[in-house]
């Protein structure tokens, strides 16, 4: 009886201890989920002040109360107050399209020797179609078009000034009135001044490569008015960030990636340096943004925020994934033609070649220290392999490198068979390939502008071009889950070397040995047990 | 064959609690650990990681109490390795047990472990489990290695060593669980580890105070 009670007491003690143990575990769990993640709290603090305030209403300024009959007249009016803006702006890459000049004389940048596997090159700004995106009134020669980035109204300027000049010189009162209408529109655009909006930036950056979503998988017109599912920061129903929220500006230099130069060299937060550019996630969210004890915090030394928080890019509109120039030049009934694919995308154009498009694309991942290595027309290539026209630099051993997501655009583009370098065919204009469909002529014309010799013989080589993926940040409920990387085969990071990942990596010999040992133990005790069963039986007989 | 059986109080309350707490911890650690290792899906990877970290650290803390207990009670003496009668124990398990022979080293209060158990449990408590705790703790603290002055370590090496430990413990567990069935009845040893009382033959030499107590309880 005593023993019985003693047992019960012991069981009660044991049960209590187990309950306390489990309770502690549950408590540790629950307390975690109450406070907001520190990275979130910090970022909310950083963007707390929402009201945009200004001390100037441009529609009231005397300098803007006149008739403008040219772009340069508007720019002159702007500079009459913003005296240093012009000089500042002309130093920026937005104007020069020139990145760095390397030691061996290669000039990086769109206007330099760099090339890509889309429209390949601007032929040192001699291809006029590229100048559509240059923020001058007419390419680099004429003055700066301040309104490109700062006006909240969109105007087709060349048409507007042409019509205005024509109608205002007419004697027809109706045409005169029309001229006044156009002038009103011009003046209104010149007076609607503000910081660049998503629309301003997007006018070029959504359409890089010649169309919506062509170049960047994470930048297209769906970001003009996104919801928070598409971009948690930019979403109109979310934080409603404009591009300039992160792309902060000093002397008209907009923070962001510039070719070989990383957007930032140190991952500092505003708490560590309140004047730091807000260009990195860490700027506002810090290095360990998740809740204390959250395993995700332990990843930030190796994995970029973007790798988990941008599960797919091109989530609304398709992006171009490949461009095969070698297919260009086919004719139908003796004429160039276009062909649409089943998804409504243009999959073939005689003047450009064959394309593929994709939506909801899972990025490819690579170690990235923030610098891209880009090819120029002056680089020698090995055409027997796929050539990386641009590739991320970085390594697992570098503390500044992270595993980063990329859109990889695969191309097939012309190169010089004898000199073993890429060629830059001229595309638009009377001598351009788009008019002539004549490779030899357009290449030699284009290479003339590049001042690089051309042997006259060309062929096509497969190429890749990497774009860092950093926009289209998904809300936290849609982030990449652990097992999409921590899995034996087919994970997102299956090809990432230089890091031991639980769930993906193991020592195969050890695993084999381990399972053999366990199987051996099971078989051993099985046989031993059976032996006991049989011998006990015999003993009883 | 039929001898009179008597009960002796072999395992104290803390000892039993510790045994089962450690058993639960190790089983949870094995289950979650092999999931993190990519062998199967059970709790879900994230839960498995959280569970593994929590149980692992809790075990580490609890183990400190066990070390305290084992030294303050003098129970560490139960783990002193000996080769005396080791061969006859091995002979018993590989031969005598099938013949219905008596165990060469029956359990007594001052010698709960036979020579084979002493070796096994010493290896386990002094080497394998601490090895697993150290590799596990280092694994868990991976992000702090630089601040601990351990930046020369390789996560791969630690990961592989920790896996080696896990396989060893699982192998032990398989045999250990089987060995519990080798008492005078299938569940005798397990019952003993739950209640503390083990049935042994009457002719087993038992200390006087112990015998008295067992007689009182068996009435």
């Amino acid at each position: 009886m005593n023993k019985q009670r003693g047992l019960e007491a012991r069981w009660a003690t044991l049960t209590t201890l187990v309950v306390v143990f489990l309770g502690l575990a549950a408590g540790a769990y629950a307390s975690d989920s109450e406070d907001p993640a520190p990275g979130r709290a910090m970022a909310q603090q950083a963007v707390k002040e929402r009201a945009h305030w200004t001390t100037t209403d441009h529609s009231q300024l005397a300098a803007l109360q006149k008739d403008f009959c040219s772009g340069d007249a508007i720019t002159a009016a702007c500079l009459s107050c913003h005296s240093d803006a012009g000089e500042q702006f002309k130093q920026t890459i937005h104007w020069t399209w020139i990145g760095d000049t390397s030691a061996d004389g290669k000039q990086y940048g769109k206007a330099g020797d760099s090339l890509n596997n889309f429209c390949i090159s601007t032929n040192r700004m001699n291809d006029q179609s590229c100048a559509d995106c240059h923020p001058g009134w007419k390419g680099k020669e004429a003055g700066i078009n301040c309104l490109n980035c700062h006006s909240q109204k969109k105007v087709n300027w060349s048409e507007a000034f042409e019509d205005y000049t024509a109608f205002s010189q007419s004697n027809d009162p109706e045409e005169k009135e029309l001229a006044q209408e156009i002038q009103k529109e011009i003046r209104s655009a010149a007076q609607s001044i503000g910081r660049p909006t998503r629309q301003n930036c997007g006018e070029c950056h959504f359409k890089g490569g010649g169309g919506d979503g062509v170049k960047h998988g994470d930048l297209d017109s769906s970001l003009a008015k996104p919801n928070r599912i598409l971009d948690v920061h930019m979403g109109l129903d979310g934080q409603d960030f404009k591009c300039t929220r992160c792309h902060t500006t000093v002397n008209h230099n907009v923070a962001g990636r510039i070719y070989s130069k990383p957007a930032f060299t140190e991952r500092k937060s505003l708490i560590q340096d309140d004047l730091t550019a807000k260009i990195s996630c860490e700027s506002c969210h810090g290095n360990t943004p998740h809740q204390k004890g959250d395993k995700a915090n332990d990843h930030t030394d190796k994995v970029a925020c973007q790798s988990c928080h941008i599960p797919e890019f091109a989530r609304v509109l398709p992006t171009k994934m490949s461009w095969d120039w070698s297919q260009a030049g086919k004719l139908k009934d003796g004429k160039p033609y276009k062909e649409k694919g089943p998804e409504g995308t243009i999959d073939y154009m005689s003047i450009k070649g064959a394309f593929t498009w994709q939506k909801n694309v899972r990025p490819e991942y690579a170690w990235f220290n923030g610098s891209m290595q880009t090819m120029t027309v002056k680089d020698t290539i090995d055409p027997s392999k796929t050539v990386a026209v641009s590739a991320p630099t970085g390594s697992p051993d570098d503390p500044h490198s992270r595993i980063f997501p990329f859109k990889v655009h695969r191309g097939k583009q012309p190169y010089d068979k004898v000199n073993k370098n890429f060629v830059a065919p001229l595309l638009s204009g009377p001598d351009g390939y788009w008019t002539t469909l004549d490779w030899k002529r357009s290449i030699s014309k284009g290479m003339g502008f590049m001042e690089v010799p051309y042997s006259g013989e060309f062929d096509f080589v497969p190429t890749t071009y990497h774009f860092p993926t950093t926009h289209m940040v998904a809300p936290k409920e849609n982030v990449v889950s652990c097992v999409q990387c921590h899995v034996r085969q087919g994970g997102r990071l299956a090809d990432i070397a230089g890091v031991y990942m639980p769930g993906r990596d193991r020592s195969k010999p050890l695993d084999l040995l381990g399972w053999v040992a366990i199987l051996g133990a099971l078989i051993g005790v099985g046989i031993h047990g059976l032996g006991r069963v049989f011998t006990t039986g015999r003993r009883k007989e | 064959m039929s001898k009179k059986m008597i009960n002796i109080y072999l395992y104290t309350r803390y000892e039993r609690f510790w045994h089962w707490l450690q058993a639960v911890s190790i089983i949870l650690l094995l289950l979650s650990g092999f999931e993190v290792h990519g062998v199967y899906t059970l709790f879900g990877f994230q839960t498995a990681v959280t569970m593994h970290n929590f149980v692992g650290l809790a075990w580490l803390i609890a183990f400190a109490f066990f070390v305290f207990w084992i030294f303050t009670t003098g129970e560490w003496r139960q783990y002193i390795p000996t080769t005396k009668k080791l061969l006859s124990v091995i002979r018993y398990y590989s031969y005598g047990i099938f013949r219905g022979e008596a165990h060469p080293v029956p359990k007594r209060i001052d010698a709960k472990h036979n020579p084979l158990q002493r070796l096994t449990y010493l290896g386990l408590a002094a080497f394998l489990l601490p090895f697993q705790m150290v590799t596990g703790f280092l694994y868990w603290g991976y992000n702090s290695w630089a601040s601990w002055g351990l930046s020369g370590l390789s996560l791969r090496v630690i990961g592989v060593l920790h896996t080696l430990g896990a396989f060893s413990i699982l192998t032990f567990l398989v045999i250990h669980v089987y060995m519990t069935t080798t008492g005078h009845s299938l569940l005798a040893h397990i019952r003993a580890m739950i209640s503390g009382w083990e049935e042994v033959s009457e002719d087993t030499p038992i200390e006087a105070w112990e015998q008295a107590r067992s007689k009182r309880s068996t009435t």
Side-chain angles (χ1 to χ4, degrees):
Chain A
M1 205 55 208
N2 257 348
K3 188 187 173 187
Q4 192 63 31
R5 208 177 299 149
L7 254 184
E8 272 169 20
R10 275 177 223 134
W11 272 112
T13 318
L14 192 68
T15 316
T16 314
L17 282 166
V18 169
V19 166
V20 167
F21 185 76
L22 292 176
L24 278 174
Y29 239 103
S31 67
D32 268 3
S33 49
E34 278 162 16
D35 301 323
R40 208 157 163 239
M42 262 168 74
Q44 278 166 350
Q45 178 68 22
V47 299
K48 195 172 63 174
E49 191 56 68
R50 277 157 186 277
H52 169 62
W53 62 275
T54 169
T55 49
T56 305
D57 177 356
H58 282 79
S59 69
Q60 305 296 313
L61 297 182
L64 299 176
Q65 307 301 326
K66 56 183 182 191
D67 287 351
F68 295 109
C69 42
S70 75
D72 286 335
I74 299 178
T75 303
C78 299
L79 297 182
S80 69
C81 291
H82 300 277
S83 55
D84 294 347
E87 272 318 299
Q88 278 175 9
F89 186 67
K90 285 199 167 175
Q91 307 297 317
T92 69
I93 195 169
H94 268 126
W95 180 263
T96 63
W97 286 11
I98 292 291
D100 298 321
T101 303
S102 73
D104 47 358
K106 287 172 222 159
Q107 203 174 33
Y108 290 99
K110 279 183 215 301
D113 301 321
S114 293
L115 41 84
N116 61 31
N117 61 4
F118 295 84
C119 286
I120 301 173
S121 165
T122 70
N123 302 98
R124 291 193 163 269
M125 305 285 283
N126 286 292
D127 195 320
Q128 289 309 314
S129 71
C130 302
D132 284 354
C133 263
H134 190 266
W137 291 107
K138 186 177 176 284
K140 239 169 153 173
E141 294 81 43
I144 304 159
N145 180 354
C146 308
L147 304 183
N148 227 14
C149 304
H150 290 289
S151 174
Q152 318 293 313
K153 288 195 171 145
K154 200 184 158 185
V155 174
N156 183 336
W157 292 107
S158 56
E159 211 171 79
F161 286 127
E162 206 173 291
D163 290 355
Y164 174 71
T165 314
F167 291 146
S168 61
Q169 283 160 4
S170 159
N171 292 324
D172 182 348
E174 227 170 84
E175 289 197 342
K176 276 243 186 261
E177 203 174 305
L178 215 54
Q180 283 313 305
E181 284 291 311
I182 295 169
Q183 183 55 234
K184 223 172 121 184
E185 208 183 305
I186 292 172
R187 204 185 297 144
S188 159
Q191 292 175 350
S192 309
I193 299 301
R195 284 190 206 160
T197 62
R198 286 186 285 250
Q199 198 57 54
N200 290 114
C201 303
E203 201 54 47
C204 292
H205 291 283
F206 292 162
K207 299 175 185 168
D212 200 2
V214 169
K215 254 187 169 178
H216 301 267
D218 61 337
L219 278 179
D220 59 41
S221 63
S222 66
L223 282 177
K225 287 176 183 160
N227 60 13
R228 62 179 286 281
I229 305 293
L230 180 60
D231 191 294
V232 75
H233 299 111
M234 296 173 77
L236 304 183
D237 53 346
Q239 297 290 321
D240 196 12
F241 279 18
K242 314 289 186 283
C243 311
T244 50
R245 220 16 161 150
C246 302
H247 293 272
T248 48
T249 304
V250 177
N251 291 342
H252 271 99
N253 265 306
V254 180
R257 189 180 60 89
I258 305 170
Y259 282 89
S260 52
K261 274 196 197 145
F264 49 93
T265 46
E266 278 181 76
R267 293 171 180 270
K268 285 193 294 191
S269 75
L270 294 166
I271 285 179
Q272 291 162 293
D273 175 4
D274 63 352
L275 295 178
T276 193
K278 291 180 198 164
I279 194 66
S280 73
C281 306
E282 284 93 334
S283 310
C284 295
H285 292 284
N287 278 331
T288 48
H290 304 94
Q291 273 154 2
K292 202 162 171 280
D294 190 327
K295 193 68 202 156
N297 279 332
D298 296 344
H299 286 67
T300 57
D301 59 330
K302 297 281 182 200
V303 183
C305 308
Q306 289 90 336
S307 292
C308 299
H309 288 273
I310 309 174
E312 279 97 25
F313 55 81
R315 297 207 293 273
V316 173
L317 298 170
T319 186
K320 195 172 278 187
M321 294 305 288
S322 75
W323 184 328
D324 182 355
W325 276 103
S326 70
Q327 303 287 319
K330 291 179 200 162
L331 300 175
K332 228 179 218 171
D333 310 321
K335 282 182 201 158
Y337 67 99
K338 286 182 193 179
E339 227 168 49
K340 275 196 178 179
E343 305 286 324
T345 51
I346 292 175
D347 289 2
Y348 182 79
M349 279 173 94
S350 301
I351 61 166
K352 291 183 175 177
F355 316 125
T356 57
W357 299 76
Q358 228 179 304
K359 249 171 85 169
N360 293 313
V361 191
R362 181 168 120 169
E364 294 180 35
Y365 299 85
W367 288 100
F368 185 41
N369 61 17
S371 299
M372 302 296 293
Q373 187 154 33
T374 49
M375 281 267 179
T376 69
V377 276
K378 290 174 178 168
D379 290 304
T380 308
I381 63 164
D382 174 6
S384 66
K385 296 190 266 233
T386 300
V387 183
V389 178
S390 93
T393 57
S395 99
D397 306 317
D398 166 20
H400 290 298
S401 290
R402 299 287 183 281
I403 298 167
F404 203 92
F406 292 89
K407 167 187 167 178
V408 183
H409 180 258
R410 292 179 161 78
K412 209 167 178 190
Q413 66 194 93
Y415 74 100
D416 187 322
K417 267 173 91 171
V418 177
N419 296 331
K420 300 267 190 295
N421 55 258
F422 282 116
V423 294
L426 184 71
L427 298 179
S428 72
D431 296 313
Y433 183 80
W434 290 347
T435 316
T436 62
L437 294 185
D438 179 345
W439 279 119
K440 290 214 158 163
R441 190 169 144 200
S442 58
I443 293 172
S444 73
K445 189 83 187 167
M447 291 305 267
F449 287 127
M450 304 305 286
E451 293 170 5
V452 173
Y454 170 51
S455 71
E457 281 186 60
F458 73 96
D459 201 352
F460 294 89
V461 59
T463 58
T464 55
Y465 197 99
H466 278 69
F467 288 98
T469 301
T470 194
H471 306 99
M472 297 190 183
V473 177
K476 63 176 180 179
E477 57 270 24
N478 293 348
V479 298
V480 172
S481 68
C482 308
V483 282
Q484 294 191 38
C485 302
H486 291 275
V487 61
R488 282 278 165 80
Q489 271 154 0
R492 287 174 182 255
L493 302 185
D495 299 327
I496 291 286
V499 64
Y500 181 81
M501 279 174 58
R504 184 194 71 166
D505 296 326
R506 60 189 166 137
S507 155
K508 276 186 188 168
L510 173 66
D511 267 27
L512 184 67
L513 193 75
W515 294 121
V516 165
I518 284 151
L519 195 67
L522 284 169
I523 292 172
V525 300
I527 290 174
H528 197 272
L530 281 175
R532 278 166 61 210
V533 170
F534 285 121
T535 53
T536 312
R538 223 177 24 235
R539 273 205 316 266
K540 275 181 182 164
E541 284 158 25
Chain B
M1 250 317 272
S2 61
K3 283 171 188 164
K4 190 158 186 264
M5 303 302 277
I6 51 157
N7 277 316
I8 58 167
Y9 189 60
L10 208 53
Y11 307 112
T12 61
R13 188 184 297 164
Y14 171 74
E15 207 172 358
R16 272 140 45 218
F17 164 71
W18 169 245
H19 174 270
W20 290 113
L21 179 71
Q22 183 158 259
V24 169
S25 302
I26 287 177
I27 288 166
L28 287 179
L29 285 167
L30 284 170
L31 284 174
S32 54
F34 277 108
E35 171 158 17
V36 173
H37 192 57
V39 181
Y40 47 75
T41 304
L42 181 65
F43 307 107
F45 189 88
Q46 195 165 3
T47 313
V49 170
T50 313
M51 185 192 258
H52 199 81
N53 287 344
F54 181 82
V55 178
L57 289 172
W59 183 35
L60 196 64
I61 295 162
F63 197 77
F65 286 91
F66 166 73
V67 172
F68 178 78
W69 171 85
I70 204 170
F71 283 108
T72 52
T73 57
E75 282 290 307
W76 59 273
R77 289 194 187 86
Q78 307 268 12
Y79 295 82
I80 298 171
T82 173
T83 52
K84 212 175 140 190
K85 288 210 179 174
L86 179 64
L87 283 177
S88 47
V89 172
I90 293 172
R91 186 197 157 277
Y92 168 75
Y93 283 116
S94 51
Y95 178 71
I97 192 170
F98 303 115
R99 310 251 318 178
E101 289 174 9
H103 198 287
V105 189
K107 286 187 188 307
R108 282 177 292 126
I109 191 69
D110 54 349
K112 303 177 209 181
H113 302 149
N114 67 49
L116 197 58
Q117 281 177 308
R118 284 182 182 220
L119 272 183
T120 309
Y121 295 150
L122 178 69
L124 202 67
F127 300 104
L128 182 53
L129 298 186
F131 170 81
Q132 200 61 353
M133 289 175 197
V134 168
T135 53
F137 188 78
L138 287 172
Y139 204 147
W140 173 78
Y142 163 71
N143 283 68
S144 312
W145 286 1
S147 61
W148 294 346
L150 296 171
S151 40
L153 282 182
S154 140
L155 183 62
R156 184 176 174 81
V157 169
I158 293 295
V160 168
L161 288 177
H162 198 61
T163 314
L164 175 71
F167 276 119
S168 309
I169 292 175
L170 181 55
T171 309
F172 161 78
L173 187 67
V174 168
I175 297 167
H176 181 66
V177 169
Y178 170 73
M179 293 300 273
T180 64
T181 66
T182 61
H184 71 87
S185 74
L186 277 186
L187 294 176
H189 288 332
I190 289 185
R191 204 177 293 132
M193 197 43 94
I194 292 171
S195 69
W197 295 88
E198 174 108 20
E199 266 188 315
V200 294
S201 308
E202 197 182 25
D203 55 1
T204 307
I206 293 169
E207 287 182 36
W209 65 270
E210 180 63 31
Q211 202 166 16
R213 192 172 165 192
S214 65
K215 266 183 183 160
R216 197 170 58 231
S217 304
T218 43
T219 47

